[in-house]
Amino acid sequence: MKLPVLSAVLAIGLAASAMADEMKMAVTTSFHNSGLSEILLPAIEEETGITVELLVVGTGQALRLGEAGDVDAILVHSRAAEDAFVEAGYGTHRREIMYNDFVLIGPEDDPASVAEKDGIVYAMQAVAAAKAPFVSRGDESGTHKRELDLWELAEMDIPRFGDWYRSVGAGMGAALNTASGMNAYILSDRASWLNFGNKGDLAVLFEGDAMLFNQYAYIPVDPERHEHVKADLTDTLEAWLVGESAAALIDGYTIEGEKLFTFNAQGS
């Protein structure tokens, strides 16, 4: 008579054990759209036993999920916002993992002549001067924040922009689809662009400026603020992300022979 009870206890114990090896991580749409998550997640599970559930959002929303304790860790790319998150006590620390760069995409015939400019700020000014269609993510993502920084450096006041500027409030893939449909300019991370299948008449028109550097960082949510956070799993995941397996997969990930990310974690 006691066997069913024992079986039930064992089942509950096994289920709890399985749940203990699951964690949630908020990541940017640009990271997810790159396709790299499909390479990393199976390796993480195989080598650490951790199943990582991704919540794919913009950087701003990822930080808010971390603040609320709705995830165990975040992987984002907006340095100022990341530092503020850690300084406010929501994250234990910030660990750089990898980088790529932003690129300015636009129509191949380049009506604003951005490809001729000597810097990205001048390129953005050229788009505005020509009133050429421009698509903004408008979602508080790391990409959107960088775009806003560039407009500020270009001394452009966004509220005064005309109909040529379209803010879509969407992720990188959706924003690129809109730009393709409008034959418009857009700022994108290189990885999302390379993995984007609906390029239409768009092409990379400006790249290589130091202002376009794009660093990704891992931040565990502080368990002292949210006690349910799985700190043991976030520590294990971090150790894996800065290790040799992650380095090989990140550096080895290419599309059409072009490398999408460069591993640069310190202390690996």
Side-chain angles (χ1 to χ4, degrees):
M1 295 296 293
K2 293 183 179 181
L3 287 178
V5 175
L6 179 60
S7 298
V9 171
L10 287 173
I12 292 171
L14 290 171
S17 176
M19 288 179 64
D21 291 334
E22 296 177 358
M23 61 170 283
K24 294 181 179 180
M25 182 166 67
V27 300
T28 66
T29 60
S30 56
F31 167 74
H32 183 66
N33 289 342
S34 73
L36 181 59
S37 61
E38 298 172 12
I39 304 297
L40 296 183
L41 293 188
I44 291 169
E45 186 162 5
E46 180 179 352
E47 297 184 23
T48 70
I50 298 173
T51 300
V52 181
E53 178 186 347
L54 298 185
L55 281 73
V56 183
V57 292
T59 290
Q61 181 62 23
L63 292 166
R64 286 191 288 273
L65 288 170
E67 291 173 4
D70 292 332
V71 293
D72 302 295
I74 61 176
L75 181 67
V76 290
H77 61 134
S78 183
R79 180 61 187 268
E82 294 160 20
D83 287 342
F85 180 84
V86 174
E87 289 169 6
Y90 294 110
T92 58
H93 62 282
R94 174 184 177 276
R95 190 75 177 270
E96 295 184 349
I97 302 297
M98 60 190 177
Y99 69 87
N100 62 9
D101 62 341
F102 294 107
V103 289
L104 184 58
I105 307 297
E108 290 183 355
D109 59 356
D110 192 13
S113 301
V114 302
E116 302 173 3
K117 305 306 176 185
D118 293 330
I120 184 59
V121 171
Y122 297 118
M124 300 293 278
Q125 288 175 334
V127 173
K131 295 185 178 180
F134 184 94
V135 171
S136 169
R137 282 184 58 172
D139 63 350
E140 298 183 22
S141 62
T143 304
H144 181 219
K145 291 176 185 293
R146 182 59 56 88
E147 178 216 319
L148 295 180
D149 290 342
L150 294 175
W151 287 126
E152 183 175 356
L153 289 169
E155 300 182 345
M156 297 297 301
D157 187 3
I158 289 179
R160 295 183 181 178
F161 286 3
D163 293 340
W164 59 272
Y165 183 85
R166 181 171 179 182
S167 179
V168 295
M172 197 69 251
L176 281 167
N177 272 321
T178 301
S180 180
M182 295 176 60
N183 209 29
Y185 290 92
I186 184 172
L187 186 72
S188 172
D189 67 288
R190 187 182 296 274
S192 292
W193 168 250
L194 289 173
N195 204 34
F196 180 58
N198 183 30
K199 292 181 170 65
D201 293 328
L202 300 183
V204 175
L205 298 178
F206 195 94
E207 59 187 324
D209 192 299
M211 289 293 300
L212 298 176
F213 179 76
N214 184 28
Q215 177 72 53
Y216 287 79
Y218 174 82
I219 305 176
V221 174
D222 195 336
E224 291 189 5
R225 186 172 288 266
H226 298 289
E227 61 182 16
H228 61 273
V229 165
K230 299 176 180 178
D232 55 336
L233 299 189
T234 63
D235 289 348
T236 299
L237 177 58
E238 180 175 347
W240 189 90
L241 286 171
V242 302
E244 293 181 0
S245 293
L249 292 172
I250 291 168
D251 283 337
Y253 182 54
T254 62
I255 292 180
E256 297 180 356
E258 189 162 356
K259 186 175 178 179
L260 275 71
F261 295 94
T262 298
F263 177 85
N264 69 335
Q266 299 299 312
S268 57

